[in-house]
Amino acid sequence: MALNPVPGPVPIRVFVRLKLRITANSLRGRPARIVMFVLGAVAACLLAILGHAIFALPGLLDRPVMAGVLFPFGGALLMLGWVFLPLLFFGVDSTLDPAQFALLPLRRRNLITGMGAAALAGLPALATLAATLGMVTSAAQLGGLGAALTGLLGVVCGLLLSVVLSRAVISAFATALRSRRARDLATIMLAVVAASIGPLELTLLGVLNRADWDSVEAIARVTGWTPFGAPYTMGLDVAAGRAWAVPLKLLIVLVTVGLLVRWWSRTLEQAMAGTASAGGRAVTPDRRRPVDQLLFRWSPRSRFGALTAREIRYWWRETRRRAALVTLGMAGIFLPLSTAFAGGGGQATGLAFIVGAIAPIGLANQFGYEGSAYATNLATGVPGRLEVHSRAAAHALFTVPLLLVVSVMTGLVADRLEAVAAQLGVLLATYGAGLALVLPISVRAAYALPDTTGPFSLSSGGGFSKALPGLGALFGALLGGLPMLIISWSWPWIGLPAGLAYGAGAYLLGARLAGRMLDRRMPELLAAVTSR
């Protein structure tokens, strides 16, 4: 009897078609998701056009020195963004989760190639490629056809390196996080690193403004020989008559890609297997009544108190929510400090109110964290108004103390302790305006999160488009808090009471609207946040 032949490798186009088919099915019959996807595509196009224009500017101006500084630093920021920005805003696209292929007879090389090709077919990859093609335009202006072709090769290699770096890092962490403690610790550490990117950029810009440009050019040349900047400076080397550097930089990129692929290959099999179950630690039985186990000592003995206590425990214990709090804390603490270090101590007061707009974003998909567990609230008939107020109160318990810390730090940094109360009023007003926008968004634009223990899988396709409502609420909160910022500068003595009244009024309006929407849309909301 003949044995069944070993199945051959699956063509790469199958993985690409599978991703596109899953993305299309997730949009079918869901107008809200279609609108968000279209808006995400439009935003990606605008960012690509902006990036292309920036990178093409040195060539159009005939400024090779400017290109020598912009290309390596810009390329390095792009690669770091591929690793950290998804963790900050819209999560890692888990449309093709490796765990979904665990039972299929696929070789790791075939799986890695297919998943990499599927990642290259997404909006972030296409937008990155379109933006970095501006470097090719500059290389063509500065060095002709040969420099343009070399720059095109470098841009493609840079995109490949960015995708492989992102996937390898995520796969490695998914493998390492075998216990809940390890997952929590790693998520917090990555949230700290990711939230530090923005403040570090502000600090770097301030240092560059005061630095010797000869030193900056020297740092850029060194960055151009690292894997982060090497692919994006190959065209400039040809334009400058350094064609001998191209093979060396290409070798650096290819060796780095090979090492990352090897790392990804070694961790992929364990990532497919999922996380191990927790050990058999002895648990001491709690003899208190269930209601006393849920409520805190200071919690009101009511439905509002029970719901608020539950949400507080979720924010403290659930990995993804805790990461959002860590990100907010890092932004709140380091934004004033980095602004002052960059030489803008007077600007710290104006920039700190951005923290108040960032704070509510963690509630933009608050129902998605629960998934099908939200059916309990639906079955017990929790009123929408009570649901919204309890969730906002739990979030404010963590956020308002942070806003107080930010206002004090801003006063210390700007050497304006008398303005601390006014700054707190601005932050509270902006936070209230953000809640007024985010709470209805969380009801109308909710989406399901992957049913996985991986702390980085926050979206299941179209992540950038899903983040747009939250980003829109952020800009809306900035606009809503701007009047209070102007008032606090003109009449600081009324900043705190006016800001408190303004924020509370905006929150009550938004909560009232969100509560009514929730009463009407509970079944639709449950369907939206339930994984399929």
Side-chain angles (χ1 to χ4, degrees):
M1 183 175 60
L3 296 177
N4 292 329
V6 178
V10 177
I12 295 177
R13 65 177 182 275
V14 174
F15 290 90
V16 178
R17 290 172 56 189
L18 179 61
K19 175 179 178 176
L20 297 178
R21 179 66 62 83
I22 293 175
T23 302
N25 290 341
S26 67
L27 300 176
R28 184 174 302 171
R30 298 180 178 178
R33 287 196 180 185
I34 294 175
V35 171
M36 288 191 291
F37 182 82
V38 172
L39 291 177
V42 172
C45 290
L46 293 177
L47 291 176
I49 293 172
L50 178 61
H52 187 99
I54 292 174
F55 288 128
L57 190 61
L60 298 176
L61 297 178
D62 195 18
R63 298 287 297 274
V65 176
M66 178 182 177
V69 174
L70 178 62
F71 288 7
F73 287 155
L77 288 177
L78 281 176
M79 290 192 186
L80 292 176
W82 265 88
V83 177
F84 292 113
L85 285 183
L87 305 180
L88 268 175
F89 293 105
F90 45 85
V92 178
D93 186 358
S94 59
T95 304
L96 297 185
D97 191 345
Q100 297 172 345
F101 300 93
L103 300 180
L104 299 179
L106 296 176
R107 297 182 181 275
R108 281 184 292 180
R109 179 181 301 178
N110 190 196
L111 185 58
I112 287 175
T113 305
M115 294 182 63
L120 290 172
L123 284 178
L126 296 177
T128 301
L129 178 61
T132 52
L133 284 177
M135 300 181 183
V136 180
T137 303
S138 286
Q141 296 290 332
L142 296 174
L145 180 60
L149 294 177
T150 306
L152 179 61
L153 175 62
V155 163
V156 173
C157 291
L159 177 61
L160 178 62
L161 180 57
S162 299
V163 172
V164 173
L165 174 63
S166 174
R167 297 294 168 173
V169 169
I170 298 303
S171 178
F173 274 97
T175 302
L177 306 182
R178 312 306 294 177
S179 65
R180 178 176 177 178
R181 288 180 180 271
R183 290 196 302 271
D184 292 350
L185 179 61
T187 304
I188 291 174
M189 291 178 62
L190 273 183
V192 170
V193 174
S196 303
I197 293 178
L200 287 177
E201 288 180 356
L202 290 175
T203 304
L204 179 61
L205 290 176
V207 172
L208 291 178
N209 287 332
R210 296 180 295 173
D212 181 9
W213 279 102
D214 293 334
S215 302
V216 174
E217 293 176 16
I219 297 174
R221 285 194 296 269
V222 173
T223 306
W225 283 95
T226 65
F228 295 101
Y232 300 110
T233 56
M234 291 164 53
L236 295 180
D237 289 329
V238 174
R242 298 188 299 269
W244 57 267
V246 174
L248 297 178
K249 292 187 176 182
L250 183 60
L251 180 62
I252 291 174
V253 175
L254 294 179
V255 169
T256 304
V257 171
L259 293 175
L260 289 172
V261 169
R262 183 176 179 84
W263 184 27
W264 186 10
S265 176
R266 294 181 61 181
T267 59
L268 183 62
E269 185 174 351
Q270 296 179 6
M272 292 169 61
T275 56
S277 59
R281 185 179 61 178
V283 179
T284 303
D286 194 337
R287 302 184 183 279
R288 294 178 299 168
R289 295 184 305 166
V291 65
D292 292 329
Q293 295 179 26
L294 174 64
L295 295 175
F296 300 101
R297 292 183 179 179
W298 45 266
S299 298
R301 263 47 183 178
S302 62
R303 297 179 74 183
F304 174 79
L307 290 171
T308 304
R310 184 201 64 173
E311 286 298 310
I312 292 172
R313 295 182 190 276
Y314 281 172
W315 279 104
W316 182 253
R317 295 178 179 179
E318 209 275 329
T319 305
R320 290 176 285 203
R321 300 198 197 198
R322 192 187 301 176
L325 291 177
V326 172
T327 300
L328 173 61
M330 290 292 296
I333 292 174
F334 286 102
L335 185 60
L337 292 180
S338 61
T339 305
F341 183 74
Q347 301 174 1
T349 304
L351 289 178
F353 93 110
I354 298 176
V355 181
I358 297 175
I361 302 303
L363 295 174
N365 190 34
Q366 56 180 329
F367 297 98
Y369 291 117
E370 298 181 36
S372 59
Y374 179 69
T376 303
N377 296 41
L378 180 60
T380 54
V382 178
R385 173 181 53 82
L386 184 62
E387 185 88 59
V388 170
H389 284 315
S390 62
R391 291 172 181 268
H395 186 262
L397 185 67
F398 293 98
T399 305
V400 172
L402 175 64
L403 299 182
L404 176 60
V405 172
V406 172
S407 62
V408 173
M409 288 186 58
T410 303
L412 292 174
V413 167
D415 196 18
R416 294 181 57 197
L417 291 178
E418 71 280 1
V420 169
Q423 182 67 54
L424 179 59
V426 173
L427 290 173
L428 292 175
T430 311
Y431 178 55
L435 287 177
L437 296 172
V438 164
L439 291 176
I441 286 175
S442 68
V443 178
R444 193 65 182 85
Y447 57 89
L449 299 177
D451 186 13
T452 175
T453 55
F456 311 118
S457 299
L458 302 183
S459 64
S460 55
F464 185 76
S465 61
K466 292 175 182 177
L468 282 180
L471 295 178
L474 187 149
F475 289 109
L478 290 176
L479 293 177
L482 193 58
M484 283 307 308
L485 180 63
I486 298 174
I487 291 175
S488 68
W489 283 344
S490 303
W491 303 286
W493 55 275
I494 65 170
L496 180 57
L500 182 59
Y502 183 92
Y507 160 72
L508 291 176
L509 289 175
R512 183 181 181 86
L513 175 61
R516 290 182 175 180
M517 292 174 59
L518 187 57
D519 287 331
R520 296 193 305 265
R521 292 182 48 83
M522 282 186 179
E524 291 82 0
L525 178 62
L526 177 61
V529 300
T530 302
S531 301
R532 299 181 180 180

PDB file of all heavy atoms in Angstrom, residues 325-350:
ATOM      1  N   LEU A 325      -2.659  51.898  30.832  1.00  0.00           N
ATOM      2  CA  LEU A 325      -2.400  52.795  31.955  1.00  0.00           C
ATOM      3  C   LEU A 325      -0.920  53.143  32.053  1.00  0.00           C
ATOM      4  O   LEU A 325      -0.560  54.290  32.350  1.00  0.00           O
ATOM      5  CB  LEU A 325      -2.878  52.150  33.262  1.00  0.00           C
ATOM      6  CG  LEU A 325      -4.392  51.987  33.435  1.00  0.00           C
ATOM      7  CD1 LEU A 325      -4.694  51.273  34.748  1.00  0.00           C
ATOM      8  CD2 LEU A 325      -5.092  53.336  33.390  1.00  0.00           C
ATOM      9  N   VAL A 326      -0.055  52.156  31.804  1.00  0.00           N
ATOM     10  CA  VAL A 326       1.384  52.419  31.855  1.00  0.00           C
ATOM     11  C   VAL A 326       1.782  53.410  30.764  1.00  0.00           C
ATOM     12  O   VAL A 326       2.571  54.336  30.991  1.00  0.00           O
ATOM     13  CB  VAL A 326       2.173  51.104  31.717  1.00  0.00           C
ATOM     14  CG1 VAL A 326       3.661  51.373  31.569  1.00  0.00           C
ATOM     15  CG2 VAL A 326       1.929  50.213  32.926  1.00  0.00           C
ATOM     16  N   THR A 327       1.234  53.229  29.570  1.00  0.00           N
ATOM     17  CA  THR A 327       1.523  54.150  28.478  1.00  0.00           C
ATOM     18  C   THR A 327       1.092  55.566  28.832  1.00  0.00           C
ATOM     19  O   THR A 327       1.832  56.540  28.595  1.00  0.00           O
ATOM     20  CB  THR A 327       0.800  53.691  27.203  1.00  0.00           C
ATOM     21  OG1 THR A 327       1.241  52.382  26.854  1.00  0.00           O
ATOM     22  CG2 THR A 327       1.082  54.648  26.054  1.00  0.00           C
ATOM     23  N   LEU A 328      -0.098  55.703  29.406  1.00  0.00           N
ATOM     24  CA  LEU A 328      -0.578  57.021  29.816  1.00  0.00           C
ATOM     25  C   LEU A 328       0.321  57.617  30.885  1.00  0.00           C
ATOM     26  O   LEU A 328       0.657  58.809  30.851  1.00  0.00           O
ATOM     27  CB  LEU A 328      -2.016  56.914  30.324  1.00  0.00           C
ATOM     28  CG  LEU A 328      -2.624  58.180  30.940  1.00  0.00           C
ATOM     29  CD1 LEU A 328      -2.673  59.289  29.907  1.00  0.00           C
ATOM     30  CD2 LEU A 328      -4.006  57.886  31.491  1.00  0.00           C
ATOM     31  N   GLY A 329       0.717  56.804  31.856  1.00  0.00           N
ATOM     32  CA  GLY A 329       1.589  57.301  32.912  1.00  0.00           C
ATOM     33  C   GLY A 329       2.928  57.773  32.385  1.00  0.00           C
ATOM     34  O   GLY A 329       3.443  58.826  32.791  1.00  0.00           O
ATOM     35  N   MET A 330       3.509  57.012  31.446  1.00  0.00           N
ATOM     36  CA  MET A 330       4.785  57.421  30.870  1.00  0.00           C
ATOM     37  C   MET A 330       4.654  58.731  30.112  1.00  0.00           C
ATOM     38  O   MET A 330       5.495  59.625  30.219  1.00  0.00           O
ATOM     39  CB  MET A 330       5.292  56.314  29.941  1.00  0.00           C
ATOM     40  CG  MET A 330       5.747  55.054  30.658  1.00  0.00           C
ATOM     41  SD  MET A 330       7.235  55.337  31.632  1.00  0.00           S
ATOM     42  CE  MET A 330       8.396  55.748  30.347  1.00  0.00           C
ATOM     43  N   ALA A 331       3.586  58.848  29.315  1.00  0.00           N
ATOM     44  CA  ALA A 331       3.387  60.084  28.561  1.00  0.00           C
ATOM     45  C   ALA A 331       3.187  61.266  29.506  1.00  0.00           C
ATOM     46  O   ALA A 331       3.728  62.356  29.282  1.00  0.00           O
ATOM     47  CB  ALA A 331       2.183  59.941  27.632  1.00  0.00           C
ATOM     48  N   GLY A 332       2.416  61.052  30.585  1.00  0.00           N
ATOM     49  CA  GLY A 332       2.149  62.137  31.516  1.00  0.00           C
ATOM     50  C   GLY A 332       3.371  62.586  32.285  1.00  0.00           C
ATOM     51  O   GLY A 332       3.524  63.774  32.584  1.00  0.00           O
ATOM     52  N   ILE A 333       4.251  61.659  32.590  1.00  0.00           N
ATOM     53  CA  ILE A 333       5.415  62.012  33.399  1.00  0.00           C
ATOM     54  C   ILE A 333       6.536  62.593  32.543  1.00  0.00           C
ATOM     55  O   ILE A 333       7.160  63.598  32.892  1.00  0.00           O
ATOM     56  CB  ILE A 333       5.919  60.773  34.169  1.00  0.00           C
ATOM     57  CG1 ILE A 333       4.881  60.369  35.223  1.00  0.00           C
ATOM     58  CG2 ILE A 333       7.266  61.046  34.826  1.00  0.00           C
ATOM     59  CD1 ILE A 333       5.212  59.082  35.947  1.00  0.00           C
ATOM     60  N   PHE A 334       6.783  61.991  31.395  1.00  0.00           N
ATOM     61  CA  PHE A 334       7.959  62.365  30.623  1.00  0.00           C
ATOM     62  C   PHE A 334       7.710  63.473  29.608  1.00  0.00           C
ATOM     63  O   PHE A 334       8.661  64.073  29.123  1.00  0.00           O
ATOM     64  CB  PHE A 334       8.522  61.137  29.895  1.00  0.00           C
ATOM     65  CG  PHE A 334       9.232  60.188  30.805  1.00  0.00           C
ATOM     66  CD1 PHE A 334       8.623  59.023  31.229  1.00  0.00           C
ATOM     67  CD2 PHE A 334      10.502  60.476  31.264  1.00  0.00           C
ATOM     68  CE1 PHE A 334       9.276  58.152  32.076  1.00  0.00           C
ATOM     69  CE2 PHE A 334      11.158  59.612  32.107  1.00  0.00           C
ATOM     70  CZ  PHE A 334      10.548  58.449  32.529  1.00  0.00           C
ATOM     71  N   LEU A 335       6.462  63.758  29.265  1.00  0.00           N
ATOM     72  CA  LEU A 335       6.221  64.844  28.310  1.00  0.00           C
ATOM     73  C   LEU A 335       6.680  66.184  28.869  1.00  0.00           C
ATOM     74  O   LEU A 335       7.418  66.917  28.185  1.00  0.00           O
ATOM     75  CB  LEU A 335       4.738  64.884  27.926  1.00  0.00           C
ATOM     76  CG  LEU A 335       4.369  65.900  26.851  1.00  0.00           C
ATOM     77  CD1 LEU A 335       5.114  65.609  25.556  1.00  0.00           C
ATOM     78  CD2 LEU A 335       2.870  65.899  26.597  1.00  0.00           C
ATOM     79  N   PRO A 336       6.296  66.582  30.094  1.00  0.00           N
ATOM     80  CA  PRO A 336       6.824  67.854  30.615  1.00  0.00           C
ATOM     81  C   PRO A 336       8.341  67.840  30.805  1.00  0.00           C
ATOM     82  O   PRO A 336       9.018  68.815  30.514  1.00  0.00           O
ATOM     83  CB  PRO A 336       6.094  68.021  31.959  1.00  0.00           C
ATOM     84  CG  PRO A 336       4.900  67.140  31.866  1.00  0.00           C
ATOM     85  CD  PRO A 336       5.321  65.979  31.028  1.00  0.00           C
ATOM     86  N   LEU A 337       8.880  66.696  31.290  1.00  0.00           N
ATOM     87  CA  LEU A 337      10.317  66.626  31.523  1.00  0.00           C
ATOM     88  C   LEU A 337      11.112  66.740  30.236  1.00  0.00           C
ATOM     89  O   LEU A 337      12.102  67.461  30.160  1.00  0.00           O
ATOM     90  CB  LEU A 337      10.658  65.310  32.243  1.00  0.00           C
ATOM     91  CG  LEU A 337      10.160  65.167  33.679  1.00  0.00           C
ATOM     92  CD1 LEU A 337      10.574  63.814  34.247  1.00  0.00           C
ATOM     93  CD2 LEU A 337      10.694  66.288  34.557  1.00  0.00           C
ATOM     94  N   SER A 338      10.676  65.998  29.202  1.00  0.00           N
ATOM     95  CA  SER A 338      11.407  66.038  27.943  1.00  0.00           C
ATOM     96  C   SER A 338      11.299  67.402  27.284  1.00  0.00           C
ATOM     97  O   SER A 338      12.253  67.881  26.658  1.00  0.00           O
ATOM     98  CB  SER A 338      10.881  64.953  26.993  1.00  0.00           C
ATOM     99  OG  SER A 338       9.512  65.159  26.714  1.00  0.00           O
ATOM    100  N   THR A 339      10.148  68.063  27.430  1.00  0.00           N
ATOM    101  CA  THR A 339       9.988  69.400  26.865  1.00  0.00           C
ATOM    102  C   THR A 339      10.931  70.384  27.536  1.00  0.00           C
ATOM    103  O   THR A 339      11.561  71.211  26.878  1.00  0.00           O
ATOM    104  CB  THR A 339       8.533  69.873  27.018  1.00  0.00           C
ATOM    105  OG1 THR A 339       7.661  68.906  26.428  1.00  0.00           O
ATOM    106  CG2 THR A 339       8.326  71.211  26.345  1.00  0.00           C
ATOM    107  N   ALA A 340      11.044  70.279  28.854  1.00  0.00           N
ATOM    108  CA  ALA A 340      11.948  71.172  29.572  1.00  0.00           C
ATOM    109  C   ALA A 340      13.403  70.886  29.212  1.00  0.00           C
ATOM    110  O   ALA A 340      14.209  71.792  29.021  1.00  0.00           O
ATOM    111  CB  ALA A 340      11.741  71.015  31.081  1.00  0.00           C
ATOM    112  N   PHE A 341      13.736  69.591  29.093  1.00  0.00           N
ATOM    113  CA  PHE A 341      15.112  69.228  28.751  1.00  0.00           C
ATOM    114  C   PHE A 341      15.477  69.705  27.356  1.00  0.00           C
ATOM    115  O   PHE A 341      16.627  70.022  27.062  1.00  0.00           O
ATOM    116  CB  PHE A 341      15.287  67.717  28.852  1.00  0.00           C
ATOM    117  CG  PHE A 341      16.699  67.259  28.587  1.00  0.00           C
ATOM    118  CD1 PHE A 341      17.694  67.454  29.526  1.00  0.00           C
ATOM    119  CD2 PHE A 341      17.026  66.654  27.379  1.00  0.00           C
ATOM    120  CE1 PHE A 341      18.994  67.034  29.274  1.00  0.00           C
ATOM    121  CE2 PHE A 341      18.316  66.237  27.123  1.00  0.00           C
ATOM    122  CZ  PHE A 341      19.310  66.429  28.073  1.00  0.00           C
ATOM    123  N   ALA A 342      14.468  69.734  26.478  1.00  0.00           N
ATOM    124  CA  ALA A 342      14.711  70.190  25.114  1.00  0.00           C
ATOM    125  C   ALA A 342      14.808  71.710  25.017  1.00  0.00           C
ATOM    126  O   ALA A 342      14.959  72.253  23.932  1.00  0.00           O
ATOM    127  CB  ALA A 342      13.596  69.704  24.192  1.00  0.00           C
ATOM    128  N   GLY A 343      14.717  72.391  26.164  1.00  0.00           N
ATOM    129  CA  GLY A 343      14.847  73.836  26.142  1.00  0.00           C
ATOM    130  C   GLY A 343      13.540  74.574  26.063  1.00  0.00           C
ATOM    131  O   GLY A 343      13.522  75.761  25.780  1.00  0.00           O
ATOM    132  N   GLY A 344      12.432  73.891  26.307  1.00  0.00           N
ATOM    133  CA  GLY A 344      11.128  74.534  26.208  1.00  0.00           C
ATOM    134  C   GLY A 344      10.379  74.503  27.508  1.00  0.00           C
ATOM    135  O   GLY A 344       9.227  74.072  27.546  1.00  0.00           O
ATOM    136  N   GLY A 345      11.015  74.924  28.594  1.00  0.00           N
ATOM    137  CA  GLY A 345      10.330  74.914  29.875  1.00  0.00           C
ATOM    138  C   GLY A 345       9.061  75.730  29.867  1.00  0.00           C
ATOM    139  O   GLY A 345       8.060  75.382  30.476  1.00  0.00           O
ATOM    140  N   GLY A 346       9.066  76.862  29.122  1.00  0.00           N
ATOM    141  CA  GLY A 346       7.864  77.653  29.015  1.00  0.00           C
ATOM    142  C   GLY A 346       6.767  76.977  28.209  1.00  0.00           C
ATOM    143  O   GLY A 346       5.590  77.303  28.360  1.00  0.00           O
ATOM    144  N   GLN A 347       7.158  76.035  27.322  1.00  0.00           N
ATOM    145  CA  GLN A 347       6.170  75.333  26.520  1.00  0.00           C
ATOM    146  C   GLN A 347       5.555  74.146  27.247  1.00  0.00           C
ATOM    147  O   GLN A 347       4.560  73.587  26.786  1.00  0.00           O
ATOM    148  CB  GLN A 347       6.803  74.829  25.219  1.00  0.00           C
ATOM    149  CG  GLN A 347       7.397  75.937  24.367  1.00  0.00           C
ATOM    150  CD  GLN A 347       8.135  75.381  23.160  1.00  0.00           C
ATOM    151  OE1 GLN A 347       8.179  74.186  22.948  1.00  0.00           O
ATOM    152  NE2 GLN A 347       8.719  76.270  22.378  1.00  0.00           N
ATOM    153  N   ALA A 348       6.149  73.724  28.346  1.00  0.00           N
ATOM    154  CA  ALA A 348       5.658  72.540  29.053  1.00  0.00           C
ATOM    155  C   ALA A 348       4.224  72.728  29.518  1.00  0.00           C
ATOM    156  O   ALA A 348       3.418  71.798  29.474  1.00  0.00           O
ATOM    157  CB  ALA A 348       6.568  72.228  30.253  1.00  0.00           C
ATOM    158  N   THR A 349       3.901  73.950  29.947  1.00  0.00           N
ATOM    159  CA  THR A 349       2.535  74.205  30.411  1.00  0.00           C
ATOM    160  C   THR A 349       1.528  74.023  29.284  1.00  0.00           C
ATOM    161  O   THR A 349       0.442  73.471  29.483  1.00  0.00           O
ATOM    162  CB  THR A 349       2.443  75.629  30.978  1.00  0.00           C
ATOM    163  OG1 THR A 349       3.414  75.781  32.010  1.00  0.00           O
ATOM    164  CG2 THR A 349       1.073  75.901  31.538  1.00  0.00           C
ATOM    165  N   GLY A 350       1.881  74.500  28.086  1.00  0.00           N
ATOM    166  CA  GLY A 350       0.965  74.367  26.976  1.00  0.00           C
ATOM    167  C   GLY A 350       0.852  72.946  26.456  1.00  0.00           C
ATOM    168  O   GLY A 350      -0.226  72.513  26.033  1.00  0.00           O
TER     169      GLY A 350
END
